[in-house]
Amino acid sequence: KYNAVLRKFSGLPLLVEHWQRTCGSNLYATTIHSINSCVLKLSKLQVACKVYRGFTGARLPATFWARNAFGVAGGVEFAFMSTTSDRSQADHYATGKASTVLEMQLGMVDRGASLDWLSQYPHEVSVYGMYLLMFFASFC
């Protein structure tokens, strides 16, 4: 539900409707603030490394790959995002039609937080990302 609230701020009608169906008018402001505060504090312990996110059944929009006037391409994730430092886990989640694996380099600011110690699935080596994370497409 928290991600539904955050994604509604993208303004996309499909995501706004999903939020209304899922959450009514609840914005979960206190809970989202608490989660963000926790991730921010725990991120100080996270090493800046490569992380991956695998998914199926969706494609990145053409606008993700189109460079803007400043020569930059990419997008913004409005919601919290789970990633992994284990590429094989991302590949597992990307098994199926329209599969995608994103490879991201954590930096000094956007490091996310390792939640292995808290996870029901510690083998997934999860790194929980903060919302409003910006992605840049790489054209190597």
Side-chain angles (χ1 to χ4, degrees), residues 62-78:
T63 54
F64 183 87
W65 303 105
R67 295 178 195 252
N68 66 14
F70 300 100
V72 177
V76 174
E77 171 57 88
F78 282 80

Side-chain angles (χ1 to χ4, degrees), residues 31-127:
T31 305
I32 290 171
H33 173 76
S34 297
I35 293 169
N36 187 61
S37 179
C38 178
V39 171
L40 183 61
K41 287 175 176 71
L42 289 172
S43 74
K44 307 298 185 218
L45 304 173
Q46 178 63 39
V47 174
C49 63
K50 283 190 180 176
V51 293
Y52 307 90
R53 173 148 177 106
F55 58 91
T56 61
R59 297 175 63 191
L60 293 170
T63 54
F64 183 87
W65 303 105
R67 295 178 195 252
N68 66 14
F70 300 100
V72 177
V76 174
E77 171 57 88
F78 282 80
F80 294 109
M81 183 174 58
S82 179
T83 63
T84 178
S85 57
D86 181 356
R87 170 68 191 250
S88 66
Q89 282 298 316
D91 290 341
H92 170 75
Y93 281 102
T95 304
K97 292 184 178 182
S99 61
T100 303
V101 174
L102 298 175
E103 177 183 286
M104 299 161 273
Q105 177 63 49
L106 299 179
M108 285 183 62
V109 177
D110 296 321
R111 285 190 297 221
S114 174
L115 298 179
D116 299 345
W117 60 276
L118 187 62
S119 177
Q120 188 174 359
Y121 307 100
H123 65 279
E124 291 184 353
V125 197
S126 293
V127 178

